[in-house]
Amino acid sequence: MNFLEERIVKDGVVKAGNILKVDSFLNHQMDVRLFRQMGEEFKRRFADKSINKILTIEASGIGIAIEKGFQPGGAKIHEMGYPLESLAIVESMDDATGTVVFRPQP
């Protein structure tokens, strides 16, 4: 995933204790296009495997789950009985711009 390595070099910040912060594009501010690239790379690398779960070590995995919900595989995830939910319910997403509009909370 050279594109991810390049993005980390470009926008990652190394803090004291060699802590790498990538929250400007992976956590607090999610780059939807980057998630889409990562999803396509996962799909390519694991095309011959029977993958039914993706686990993350942090809540930032919600970005990947939201993106997956917009891909054709999202319907299959729902059909298999796995919930794909968030308190931040996506109302719409513009694939061209990566703009996500969240449904207002009641």
Side-chain angles (χ1 to χ4, degrees), residues 25-94:
F25 57 95
L26 285 182
N27 295 30
H28 302 136
Q29 298 177 48
M30 294 181 280
D31 182 335
V32 177
R33 289 186 188 120
L34 179 64
F35 282 114
R36 176 163 293 146
Q37 282 182 283
M38 291 167 56
E40 289 299 321
E41 183 65 13
F42 290 149
K43 179 180 173 182
R44 184 188 71 75
R45 288 184 182 209
F46 301 106
D48 61 337
K49 307 288 186 229
S50 179
I51 305 293
N52 64 7
K53 276 185 196 173
I54 297 176
L55 302 176
T56 65
I57 60 168
E58 189 174 334
S60 63
I62 190 62
I64 294 170
I66 289 171
E67 174 56 29
K68 189 68 205 160
F70 283 100
Q71 294 177 6
K76 180 140 178 102
I77 290 171
H78 287 290
E79 288 170 12
M80 294 171 65
Y82 294 105
L84 184 59
E85 300 175 24
S86 171
L87 292 176
I89 300 172
V90 175
E91 185 73 32
S92 65
M93 180 175 154
D94 183 326

Side-chain angles (χ1 to χ4, degrees), residues 11-22:
D11 293 328
V13 177
V14 178
K15 297 289 192 177
N18 286 330
I19 304 292
L20 174 63
K21 290 191 63 145
V22 293

